[in-house]
């Protein structure tokens, strides 16, 4: 089983739609979680961190369910510019507090007019 | 700060040749990561340094791959000898602390023919 699993998509949605991505992780000791965005032929960039209580940033909402070991990202009112690959990232953690980020394979989103 | 700087941006080499990829992390960051990205395997962590010391190199595919970090501002990833299956985009990333965002360089697109 992969450490971080995502539905690869693609998700093809019209502008204005609401779309949700889920991600599951295997290591119950994971401490922190992120969503990254990667545009075609570009480097990944942080979209938002995911907190236990859930958090929102404009049209984007991230949630964490530790009991079920999954993370979600909700995008409301989709824009053409949201078209990208969304990467779920889990900090696996080592003893001593070292930081090891494990990336999912990504979910492709295509927003069309 | 200019961000994480990688060189070269593109590299085309013949099978059997030595390839050296370079990375300058963000000043003050104490963690450095080398990732490889392909369509088939997604983003894979190759090796991770903390305070210039390799912490986890379990992702390095073979002995042909080696990485060094002689000081806090420079790291190299070397492939010797290179093979066509090494063709990928290689990303370097750095982060400041445990549980914080990793910033990526623009990547090196390697093609081995």
């Amino acid at each position: 089983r992969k450490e971080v699993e995502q539905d690869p998509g693609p998700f093809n949605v019209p502008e204005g739609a609401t779309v949700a991505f889920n991600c599951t992780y295997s290591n119950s000791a994971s401490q922190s979680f992120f969503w990254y965005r990667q545009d075609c032929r570009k480097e990944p960039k942080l979209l938002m961190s995911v907190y236990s209580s859930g958090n929102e940033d404009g049209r984007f909402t991230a949630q964490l369910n530790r009991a079920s070991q999954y993370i979600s990202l909700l995008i409301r009112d989709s824009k053409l510019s949201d078209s990208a690959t969304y990467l779920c990232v889990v900090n696996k953690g080592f003893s001593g507090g070292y930081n090891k980020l494990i990336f999912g394979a990504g979910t492709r989103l295509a927003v069309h007019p | 700060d200019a961000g994480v700087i990688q060189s070269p941006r593109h590299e085309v080499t013949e099978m059997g040749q030595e390839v050296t990829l370079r990375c300058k992390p963000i000043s003050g960051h104490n963690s450095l990561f080398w990732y490889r990205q392909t369509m088939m395997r997604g983003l894979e962590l190759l090796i991770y340094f903390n305070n210039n010391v390799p912490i986890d190199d379990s992702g390095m595919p073979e002995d042909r791959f080696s990485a060094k970090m002689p000081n806090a501002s420079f790291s190299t990833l070397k492939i010797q000898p290179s093979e066509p299956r090494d063709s990928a985009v290689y990303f370097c990333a750095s982060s400041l602390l445990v549980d914080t965002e990793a910033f990526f360089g623009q990547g090196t697109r390697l093609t081995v023919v």
Side-chain angles (χ1 to χ4, degrees):
Chain A
R1 182 186 173 189
K2 290 183 180 179
E3 292 184 270
V4 179
E5 295 206 61
Q6 298 181 247
D7 181 343
F11 284 61
N12 294 301
V13 303
E15 276 186 290
T18 296
V19 61
F21 306 138
N22 289 328
C23 163
T24 58
Y25 60 95
S26 60
N27 187 343
S28 59
S30 296
Q31 297 297 315
S32 51
F33 311 87
F34 309 90
W35 283 100
Y36 275 66
R37 169 188 169 136
Q38 186 173 23
D39 293 294
C40 187
R41 303 180 78 85
K42 297 285 189 181
E43 72 274 23
K45 292 183 178 179
L46 180 69
L47 177 66
M48 59 195 304
S49 301
V50 185
Y51 303 120
S52 296
S53 55
N55 49 299
E56 189 174 307
D57 183 2
R59 297 181 294 108
F60 299 83
T61 300
Q63 298 220 312
L64 168 65
N65 184 321
R66 285 188 185 272
S68 301
Q69 294 181 207
Y70 83 77
I71 308 148
S72 65
L73 177 67
L74 183 77
I75 305 175
R76 292 181 299 277
D77 189 22
S78 300
K79 312 290 185 190
L80 294 176
S81 57
D82 294 334
S83 298
T85 297
Y86 291 83
L87 303 163
C88 174
V89 185
V90 174
N91 183 345
K92 185 174 180 177
F94 281 128
S95 61
Y98 295 125
N99 187 18
K100 181 173 180 177
L101 297 179
I102 306 297
F103 283 74
T107 299
R108 266 201 307 132
L109 172 65
V111 182
H112 56 83
Chain B
D1 198 317
V4 176
I5 300 173
Q6 291 186 246
S7 64
R9 291 289 308 280
H10 302 272
E11 176 83 26
V12 180
T13 191
E14 291 185 347
M15 182 173 63
Q17 296 298 306
E18 177 180 297
V19 175
T20 299
L21 312 181
R22 297 172 177 78
C23 175
K24 181 181 186 313
I26 292 173
S27 177
H29 282 192
N30 59 8
S31 295
L32 183 139
F33 310 84
W34 281 101
Y35 287 90
R36 176 173 69 176
Q37 188 172 38
T38 61
M39 287 293 293
M40 292 297 294
R41 300 174 69 90
L43 202 59
E44 302 173 279
L45 177 64
L46 301 178
I47 187 169
Y48 156 52
F49 292 87
N50 186 268
N51 291 326
N52 313 338
V53 176
I55 300 301
D56 181 7
D57 65 355
S58 60
M60 296 286 262
E62 298 170 34
D63 291 345
R64 298 184 296 107
F65 285 69
S66 62
K68 293 182 180 179
M69 193 165 185
N71 57 62
S73 60
F74 184 64
S75 177
T76 59
L77 177 68
K78 186 177 292 187
I79 308 173
Q80 164 66 17
S82 57
E83 296 182 3
R85 61 194 167 116
D86 301 332
S87 298
V89 180
Y90 290 81
F91 287 107
C92 175
S94 70
S95 69
L96 178 60
L97 295 168
V98 172
D99 293 346
T100 61
E101 173 185 4
F103 293 83
F104 282 75
Q106 291 182 298
T108 295
R109 186 170 296 274
L110 174 65
T111 303
V112 183
V113 298

